[in-house]
């Protein structure tokens, strides 16, 4: 039986029992921002469980989940996964134990045809009710009472909780540990947990007392992959139809080697990890150094390490992405929209980690060869910070080799590094959506109207509902329908005015608008009294909206131009569309050249001058996909989508008569013709993270304002350089620059001559190499470099090392030069720099023949001190 058939049978079974079918929630929990990932089917129903949401009594779903709690076991056991699908049925104050137990048994035995002779059941040791219900279904010798650790669920130290009951499948004695006490609940592979039924019936108090809950709930979860495995009498989850094609594809690249089982374990882990990474990236979770992105990077780098252990040293995981999508697209069609983006990101991550993986593994091999069982925390931090090894990966490797380190010291080093680093991150504003859940979705009419009449449905002041608002109050207002666009999809919210129904009196200024839980919330400074139930006139700030529309349509043109000029990998990763400017984040691994930026500007402006029509169609996601519509990572799409088409000719039904220039899924507001944008100008192009670039740009009258400012600045500069003609500015400035360079050279020569009079120098010879240690008082690093250049030119006939440094107010600047004769003897500037850096605690960096840097020190350094330090080189020869 195929996985898709089992999914459908499960949903249909509970649909027939009056359950509402919910689609899978995102891996980024929509109902609980405190969680990194969705780890169970119940997560999206949290508000129903605690009574914040009502209207649904029975629900069922197939939920995609991601967990890393047992990641070290993945691939090495028959059942552990990081990404998996959870089948679940739920009751919110409706049915309870009797129905949950009988229905689960009926589905498993009758619908899935699982041999009931191989089934066991566990219940909580004190749950006599569940035991009695099961005893009517299965013999008592197959029911096991277990303790709190496995069979009692808690939300936290206090709050909702309750006993669990699990249906267990016996794989047979050959999978067991053969211990006398091997029975359901044992950690070995024999007894496979299939379906967990949680009976939420108590409210845990701080003193440990269990009080009855007013609303008793049912929360069940069954791993799809495990179910498919036992339905088809397979011996591992990695043999099912969702994994087998992936593993077959992988085996084309490897010979399994002498230890075939270990190799298959590695392949299984790789298959799991690429599934997890594919789904995570499809939802916009790009590998980074923090939060969810860090977890994705950790999973991806574990897979790369397994490839390395299989002696494969090139990017490969990205080639598996299309296979994952092909296997999963029937259930999750949105994956296809992101196929190329995911492959590009995975390949880029592979290339980046492979560059440092070899060096990091060499460090670990050296530790192993030296039989070290305890290593300094600094070594672990270097693997983490310099070579990109996730700490958990280092821990796993060290565990395999029996190596330990001081974790507390590691975290201290990490904290210090973060304090020193200049970091930027995008925070997430967590909004309490409970206030808005009782309102129906606001009817947005602002795609083609700038004003409309409406009725006030609710007023919120200081997070409390009120019936009226007075002059001077700042409140949130919810209405039946509105032309105000609520901030979403990267586009900021509209501003404007609320007037009385006749439109002759302003009663409130709308300072912002947001879309929350389908409601459009107007943030209003009240000028006159407003009451719930009032009929009003809503008017947006039209010039501001038009600027926003210009910028939003321009983002679509820019997106297309980037992919045409840089390549199809240059896809959008985020945006902000405002009235003043827009910013656009996209995937690319280097800064853009001036020529590329010019090409992009020309391309976008040409499409503006072409006055291409901008057409909107509303269709289903399947039709949008056939049209070739581009989807955005950060957006979650419903079955019905809005498609923005620039240029070409397409019917409402999706029939293409002339190929459009751009097709994107988008809910924002747009111009009706590209000519309305007016003009497009890039203001900046910068990095915002690994493989992420950002363009900031302006359009329309904002470009005119920008040109005016530049013209004023040029006029001021012209006056400074002594000309009335702007065209002469360049030649005037070039002349000044040349004069300045000449004066700088003269000053540098004077400084060099003076410095030679303030020099301390010591010469020492060892290893057949002359070491010149030179101290010069109070000169800059730039001058030290110049002096070292001069020395190099004058001394080419013998092996030498030059260390030239200067000190001023406890600050030291150092330049190290090594000629090719010394390098041939094995002495490099980098080796010397490592010794000096370690002893003086300063930062030095450069090449094998040239290193420079410096830092703050608390003592005066004499040439003799440096001779002592570099003499340590002899220990390495």
């Amino acid at each position: 039986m195929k996985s898709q058939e089992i999914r459908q049978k499960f949903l249909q079974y509970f649909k027939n029992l009056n359950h509402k079918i919910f689609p899978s929630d995102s891996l980024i929990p929509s109902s609980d921002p405190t969680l990194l990932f969705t780890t169970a089917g119940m997560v999206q129903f949290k508000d129903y469980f605690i009574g914040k949401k009502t209207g649904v009594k029975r629900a069922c779903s197939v939920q995609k989940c991601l967990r890393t709690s047992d990641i070290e076991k993945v691939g090495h056991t028959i059942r552990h996964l990081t990404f998996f699908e959870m089948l679940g049925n739920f009751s919110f104050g409706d049915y309870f134990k009797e129905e949950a137990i009988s229905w689960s048994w009926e589905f498993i035995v009758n619908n899935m045809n699982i041999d009931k002779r191989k089934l066991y059941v566990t219940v909580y040791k004190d749950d006599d009710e569940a035991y009695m219900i099961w005893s009517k279904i299965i013999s008592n010798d197959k029911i096991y009472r277990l303790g709190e650790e496995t069979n009692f669920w808690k939300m936290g130290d206090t709050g909702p909780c309750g006993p669990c009951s699990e249906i267990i499948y016996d794989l047979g004695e050959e999978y067991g540990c053969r211990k006398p006490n091997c029975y359901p609940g044992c950690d070995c592979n024999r007894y496979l947990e299939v379906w967990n039924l949680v009976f939420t019936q108590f409210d845990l108090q701080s003193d440990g007392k269990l009080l009855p809950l007013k609303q008793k709930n049912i929360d069940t979860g069954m791993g799809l992959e495990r179910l498919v495995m036992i339905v088809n009498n397979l011996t591992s989850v990695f043999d099912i139809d969702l994994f087998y094609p992936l593993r077959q594809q992988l085996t084309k690249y490897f010979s399994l080697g002498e230890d075939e089982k270990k190799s298959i374990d590695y392949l299984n882990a790789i298959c799991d990890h690429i599934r997890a990474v594919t789904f995570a990236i499809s939802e916009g979770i790009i590998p980074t150094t923090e939060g969810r992105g860090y977890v994705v990077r950790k999973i991806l780098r574990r897979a790369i390490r397994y490839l390395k252990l299989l002696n494969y040293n090139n990017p490969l995981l990205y080639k598996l992405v299309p296979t994952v999508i092909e296997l999963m697209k029937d259930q999750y069609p949105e994956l296809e929209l992101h196929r190329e983006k995911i492959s590009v990101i995975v390949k880029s991550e592979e290339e980046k980690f492979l560059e440092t993986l070899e060096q990091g593994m060499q460090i670990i091999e050296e530790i192993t060869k030296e039989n070290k069982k305890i290593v300094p925390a600094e070594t672990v931090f270097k693997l983490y910070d310099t070579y990109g090894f996730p700490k958990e990966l280092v821990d796993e490797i060290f565990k395999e080799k029996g190596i330990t380190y001081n974790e507390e010291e590691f975290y201290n080093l990490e904290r210090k590094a973060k304090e020193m680093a200049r970091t930027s991150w995008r925070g997430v504003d967590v909004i309490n959506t409970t206030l808005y859940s009782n309102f129906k979705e606001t009817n947005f009419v602002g795609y083609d109207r700038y004003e409309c009449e409406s009725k006030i449905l609710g007023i919120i002041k200081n997070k409390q509902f009120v019936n009226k608002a007075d002059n001077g109050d700042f409140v949130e207002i919810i209405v039946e329908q509105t032309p105000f666009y609520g901030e979403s999809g990267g586009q900021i919210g509209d501003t404007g005015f609320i007037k009385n129904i006749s439109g002759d009196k302003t009663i409130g200024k709308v300072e912002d608008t947001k879309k929350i839980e389908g409601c459009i919330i107007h943030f209003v400074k009240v000028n006159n009294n407003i009451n719930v139930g009032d009929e009003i006139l809503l008017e947006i700030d039209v010039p501001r909206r038009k600027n926003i529309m210009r910028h939003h349509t321009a983002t679509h043109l820019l997106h297309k131009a980037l992919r045409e000029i840089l390549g199809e990998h240059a896809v959008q990763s985020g945006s902000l569309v405002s009235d003043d400017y827009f910013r656009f984040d996209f995937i690319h691994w280097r800064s853009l050249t001036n020529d590329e930026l010019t090409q992009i500007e020309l391309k976008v402006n040409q499409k503006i001058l072409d006055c291409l029509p901008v057409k909107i169609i509303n269709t289903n996601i399947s039709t949008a996909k056939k049209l070739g519509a581009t989807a955005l990572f950060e957006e979650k799409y419903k079955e019905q989508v809005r498609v923005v088409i620039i240029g070409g000719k397409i019917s409402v039904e999706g029939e293409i008569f002339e190929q459009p220039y751009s097709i994107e899924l988008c809910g924002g507001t747009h111009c009706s013709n590209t000519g309305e944008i007016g003009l497009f100008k890039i203001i900046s192009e910068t990095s915002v993270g690994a493989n992420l670039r950002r363009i900031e740009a302006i359009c329309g009258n904002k470009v005119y304002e920008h040109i005016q400012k530049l013209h004023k600045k040029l006029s001021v500069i012209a006056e400074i350089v002594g000309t009335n003609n702007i065209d002469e500015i360049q030649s005037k400035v070039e002349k000044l620059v040349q004069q300045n360079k000449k004066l700088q050279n003269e000053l540098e020569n004077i400084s060099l001559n003076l410095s030679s009079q303030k020099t301390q120098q010591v010469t020492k010879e060892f290893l057949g190499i002359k070491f010149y240690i030179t101290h010069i008082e109070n000169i800059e690093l730039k001058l030290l470099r110049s002096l070292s250049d001069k020395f190099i030119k004058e001394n080419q006939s013998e092996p030498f090392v030059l260390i030239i440094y200067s000190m001023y107010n406890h600050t030291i600047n150092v330049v190290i030069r090594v000629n090719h004769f010394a390098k041939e003897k094995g002495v490099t500037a980098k080796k010397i720099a490592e010794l000096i850096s370690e002893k003086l605690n300063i930062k030095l960096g450069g090449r094998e023949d040239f290193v420079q840097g410096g830092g703050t020190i608390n003592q005066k350094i004499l040439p003799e001190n440096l001779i002592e330090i570099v003499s340590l080189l002899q220990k390495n020869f």
Side-chain angles (χ1 to χ4, degrees):
M1 199 183 295
K2 299 286 186 185
S3 301
Q4 183 65 356
E5 184 182 351
I6 291 175
R7 289 189 194 102
Q8 295 308 317
K9 283 195 172 192
F10 176 83
L11 294 174
Q12 189 60 49
Y13 177 80
F14 282 100
K15 184 179 180 182
N16 294 340
L17 292 169
N18 300 315
H19 287 63
K20 180 179 178 180
I21 297 175
F22 280 77
S24 173
D25 195 17
S26 165
L27 284 177
I28 303 172
S30 60
S31 62
D32 190 346
T34 63
L35 294 175
L36 270 181
F37 294 103
T38 297
T39 56
M42 64 81 64
V43 171
Q44 72 164 310
F45 302 110
K46 184 177 177 182
D47 288 346
Y48 288 103
F49 280 118
I50 59 180
K52 283 185 179 179
K53 282 187 177 180
T54 57
V56 175
K57 287 292 185 181
R58 300 181 179 189
C60 66
S61 68
V62 179
Q63 175 64 50
K64 50 190 174 182
C65 301
L66 200 155
R67 293 181 188 170
T68 58
S69 51
D70 292 316
I71 193 169
E72 73 283 352
K73 297 177 182 177
V74 173
H76 305 288
T77 72
I78 63 172
R79 65 185 191 269
H80 286 99
L81 299 168
T82 55
F83 175 85
F84 59 95
E85 295 174 82
M86 186 176 283
L87 312 175
N89 60 288
F90 311 92
S91 168
F92 315 115
D94 188 32
Y95 63 84
F96 202 48
K97 292 182 187 179
E98 184 85 42
E99 295 88 343
I101 290 172
S102 61
W103 290 343
S104 64
W105 184 260
E106 181 183 32
F107 180 77
I108 284 278
V109 173
N110 298 339
N111 289 57
M112 294 291 101
N113 300 316
I114 294 174
D115 187 352
K116 59 185 177 184
R117 292 173 300 177
K118 295 185 176 182
L119 295 176
Y120 290 81
V121 168
T122 66
V123 297
Y124 179 54
K125 60 183 178 64
D126 297 330
D127 192 356
D128 295 333
E129 182 185 2
Y131 187 94
M132 290 302 296
I133 295 168
W134 276 118
S135 66
K136 297 173 187 175
I137 297 172
I138 191 171
S139 61
N140 288 352
D141 63 335
K142 287 199 164 190
I143 307 173
Y144 286 79
R145 292 180 184 262
L146 298 180
E148 190 172 312
E149 185 179 337
T150 58
N151 281 63
F152 197 91
W153 175 83
K154 297 176 184 177
M155 184 177 281
D157 293 335
T158 59
C161 60
C164 311
S165 178
E166 287 191 322
I167 299 175
I168 308 289
Y169 183 82
D170 183 3
L171 289 167
E173 287 186 19
E174 62 271 29
Y175 290 91
C177 57
R178 305 188 187 282
K179 293 177 182 176
N181 60 345
C182 183
Y183 56 82
C186 183
D187 286 337
C188 70
N189 280 328
R190 176 175 178 177
Y191 295 103
L192 185 70
E193 303 92 343
V194 180
W195 203 339
N196 188 23
L197 316 176
V198 180
F199 313 123
T200 314
Q201 63 186 99
F202 298 117
D203 186 4
L204 177 62
Q205 305 299 298
S206 56
D207 61 1
K209 288 183 180 178
L210 295 173
L211 302 180
L213 275 177
K214 291 180 182 178
Q215 174 181 298
K216 294 180 179 180
N217 302 314
I218 291 292
D219 159 25
T220 84
M222 172 166 53
L224 171 70
E225 294 81 1
R226 294 186 183 186
L227 181 60
V228 177
M229 168 188 154
I230 61 175
V231 164
N232 291 286
N233 294 312
L234 300 171
T235 57
S236 166
V237 291
F238 297 103
D239 294 330
I240 71 172
D241 59 330
L242 297 177
F243 281 101
Y244 187 74
L246 263 178
R247 198 168 67 191
Q248 286 298 101
Q249 182 183 352
L250 268 174
T251 52
K252 293 176 184 177
Y253 297 94
F254 307 102
S255 58
L256 294 180
E258 294 179 7
D259 194 338
E260 186 172 321
K261 184 189 179 305
K262 184 178 281 187
S263 296
I264 290 173
D265 287 352
Y266 294 163
L267 293 178
N268 288 341
I270 293 166
C271 291
D272 166 82
H273 291 0
I274 193 58
R275 284 194 348 143
V277 168
T278 297
F279 271 87
I281 295 177
S282 78
E283 300 201 11
I285 309 168
I286 295 174
T288 59
T289 56
E290 292 184 351
R292 297 184 180 99
Y294 175 75
V295 176
V296 175
R297 176 167 283 173
K298 175 176 72 175
I299 296 170
L300 186 52
R301 292 189 170 184
R302 284 187 92 254
I304 297 169
R305 185 207 169 213
Y306 282 129
L307 288 175
K308 182 75 176 171
L309 291 173
L310 290 165
N311 296 315
Y312 197 86
N313 300 308
N314 297 304
L316 175 62
L317 299 175
Y318 76 99
K319 295 179 181 178
L320 304 179
V321 170
T323 308
V324 173
I325 292 172
E326 196 62 32
L327 291 169
M328 305 298 287
K329 68 180 184 181
D330 288 344
Q331 184 68 14
Y332 306 102
E334 66 275 10
L335 282 173
E336 280 235 276
L337 297 168
H338 303 299
R339 181 191 295 259
E340 187 161 354
K341 303 174 191 178
I342 299 166
S343 295
V344 167
I345 292 169
V346 171
K347 186 180 182 184
S348 174
E349 278 290 310
E350 287 189 89
E351 290 170 340
K352 187 164 54 180
F353 189 44
L354 283 169
E355 288 176 7
T356 58
L357 177 61
E358 182 65 36
Q359 295 165 289
M361 291 305 295
Q362 284 176 2
I363 291 173
I364 293 170
E365 286 304 315
E366 286 172 15
I367 293 168
T368 307
K369 284 177 185 176
E370 294 170 9
N371 291 319
K372 290 182 179 178
K373 293 303 176 185
I374 301 175
V375 299
E378 289 84 357
T379 302
V380 182
F381 186 71
K382 187 176 183 181
L383 287 167
Y384 165 77
D385 192 48
T386 306
Y387 299 107
F389 280 59
K391 176 185 174 294
E392 294 81 357
L393 180 54
V394 178
D395 289 347
E396 193 173 330
I397 296 169
F398 279 10
K399 187 177 179 181
E400 292 169 6
K401 299 179 183 297
I403 300 168
T404 60
Y405 65 94
N406 189 318
E407 278 198 276
E408 187 177 341
E409 285 183 21
F410 172 88
Y411 287 122
N412 285 336
L413 290 166
E414 184 184 35
R415 190 182 66 253
K416 287 176 184 176
K418 285 184 175 180
E419 286 169 359
M420 290 172 65
R422 296 177 61 194
T423 58
S424 63
W425 60 283
R426 290 186 293 179
V428 177
D429 291 328
V430 177
I431 298 171
N432 182 1
T433 61
T434 312
L435 287 169
Y436 316 109
S437 59
N438 293 325
F439 292 96
K440 65 179 183 179
E441 192 169 307
T442 308
N443 180 27
F444 175 64
V445 299
Y447 286 130
D448 46 24
R449 293 166 64 182
Y450 296 147
E451 65 175 54
C452 76
E453 295 180 358
S454 194
K455 180 180 180 180
I456 296 178
L457 300 178
I459 301 174
I460 300 170
K461 180 180 176 183
N462 298 327
K463 304 189 184 304
Q464 299 289 327
F465 285 109
V466 294
N467 291 320
K468 66 172 186 174
D470 299 320
N471 183 29
D473 285 347
F474 189 80
V475 296
E476 299 171 36
I477 290 179
I478 301 157
V479 298
E480 283 183 338
Q481 64 173 10
T482 182
F484 284 77
Y485 182 88
E487 181 181 335
S488 57
Q491 179 176 321
I492 65 170
D494 282 323
T495 61
F497 300 95
I498 298 177
K499 297 184 176 181
N500 61 356
I501 197 66
S502 61
D504 57 4
K505 184 167 65 173
T506 299
I507 55 179
K509 182 182 179 183
V510 180
E511 297 186 354
D512 195 9
T513 320
K514 295 186 184 296
K515 189 175 183 180
I516 304 170
E517 295 283 313
C519 289
I520 295 177
I521 315 301
H522 305 75
F523 294 82
V524 180
K525 181 68 179 290
V526 180
N527 296 341
N528 256 298
N529 294 346
I530 299 180
N531 300 284
V532 172
D534 282 355
E535 300 285 339
I536 55 171
L537 180 69
L538 295 160
E539 291 182 359
I540 67 170
D541 182 335
V542 177
R544 181 177 180 274
R545 162 71 83 81
K546 287 186 174 180
N547 280 336
I548 293 170
M549 290 161 63
R550 291 184 185 103
H551 287 140
H552 204 151
T553 304
T555 66
H556 289 220
L557 295 178
L558 174 61
H559 194 189
K560 181 67 175 178
L562 286 168
R563 285 180 288 141
E564 286 182 332
I565 292 165
L566 302 179
E568 285 299 322
H569 66 275
V571 292
Q572 181 172 347
S573 180
S575 68
L576 171 68
V577 179
S578 76
D579 55 321
D580 290 325
Y581 79 109
F582 74 86
R583 71 173 184 236
F584 188 91
D585 298 345
F586 61 98
I587 296 167
H588 198 53
W589 37 82
R590 60 167 175 79
S591 60
L592 274 59
T593 65
N594 289 334
D595 184 55
E596 286 169 335
L597 290 170
T598 300
Q599 286 183 59
I600 292 162
E601 273 193 354
L602 286 171
K603 176 74 75 174
V604 173
N605 280 305
Q606 185 57 57
K607 296 304 173 184
I608 292 170
L609 291 172
D610 288 344
C611 295
L612 300 175
V614 180
K615 185 176 182 179
I616 311 294
I617 65 170
N618 293 289
T619 185
N620 58 55
I621 199 162
S622 177
T623 301
K625 194 166 58 182
K626 287 175 185 174
L627 290 172
T630 301
L632 305 184
F633 273 144
E634 67 268 25
E635 289 300 301
K636 303 295 175 278
Y637 299 102
K638 297 180 181 178
E639 179 56 30
Q640 288 297 308
V641 291
R642 187 169 181 266
V643 185
V644 177
I645 302 162
I646 300 177
K649 292 180 182 178
I650 294 182
S651 69
V652 176
E653 294 78 25
E655 186 178 357
I656 300 176
F657 300 110
E658 182 183 319
Q659 188 61 43
Y661 179 67
S662 166
I663 310 175
E664 290 197 19
L665 305 186
C666 181
T669 60
H670 287 272
C671 302
S672 59
N673 187 291
T674 59
E676 295 171 17
I677 298 171
L679 194 59
F680 166 83
K681 177 65 184 168
I682 294 173
I683 301 302
S684 68
E685 189 272 332
T686 55
S687 169
V688 285
N691 303 319
L692 275 180
R693 309 298 301 177
R694 171 173 293 171
I695 281 177
E696 294 188 353
I698 51 177
C699 296
N701 59 346
K702 297 297 176 183
V703 179
Y704 173 74
E705 292 170 8
H706 178 69
I707 291 169
Q708 285 292 92
K709 286 178 183 176
L710 288 178
H711 192 273
K712 285 181 180 178
K713 287 179 181 178
L714 283 172
S715 298
V716 171
I717 293 169
E719 189 177 340
I720 291 169
V721 298
T723 180
N724 295 321
N725 187 347
I726 287 176
D727 292 335
E728 293 179 0
I729 288 176
Q730 183 176 340
S731 62
K732 291 276 188 182
V733 170
E734 285 173 351
K735 188 176 179 181
L736 285 172
V737 169
Q738 290 301 320
Q739 290 173 348
N740 187 49
K741 279 184 179 177
K742 186 180 177 184
L743 291 170
Q744 280 184 328
N745 287 334
E746 290 174 1
L747 182 61
E748 189 172 313
N749 287 331
I750 293 168
S751 297
L752 287 171
N753 290 331
L754 287 172
S755 65
S756 63
Q757 300 169 26
K758 301 180 288 182
T759 299
Q760 291 176 282
Q761 182 166 303
V762 174
T763 305
K764 180 85 173 178
E765 184 171 338
F766 57 90
L767 303 173
I769 299 168
K770 278 193 177 178
F771 283 74
Y772 297 94
I773 316 293
T774 303
H775 174 232
I776 305 172
E777 293 181 10
N778 303 337
I779 68 168
E780 296 176 347
L781 189 60
K782 181 181 175 183
L783 286 177
L784 289 178
R785 287 198 301 268
S786 297
L787 285 168
S788 72
D789 289 339
K790 185 180 177 184
F791 187 91
I792 289 282
K793 286 178 184 177
E794 295 171 356
N795 296 271
Q796 288 293 341
S797 60
E798 59 181 359
F800 75 83
V801 170
L802 171 68
I803 303 173
I804 184 168
Y805 71 99
S806 181
M807 292 189 63
Y808 180 72
N809 280 349
H810 301 295
T811 298
I812 187 170
N813 289 318
V814 182
V815 171
I816 304 170
R817 301 294 293 266
V818 174
N819 71 355
H820 69 280
F821 295 116
K823 280 171 60 181
E824 287 171 1
K825 289 179 175 287
V827 174
T828 68
K830 278 192 172 182
K831 286 182 180 178
I832 297 166
E834 284 175 9
L835 290 170
I836 294 173
S837 295
E838 188 178 342
K839 291 292 182 181
L840 302 185
N841 195 25
I842 59 175
K843 287 192 174 182
L844 300 171
R847 307 185 305 264
E848 299 293 321
D849 63 341
F850 174 84
V851 164
Q852 65 178 357
T856 303
I857 56 176
N858 295 320
Q859 79 242 43
K860 187 171 182 179
I861 302 299
L862 299 173
E864 291 83 358
N865 303 136
L866 291 181
I867 284 288
E868 287 177 20
I869 292 171
V870 297
S871 65
L872 296 172
L873 280 168
Q874 294 180 93
K875 293 185 178 180
N876 297 324
F877 289 85

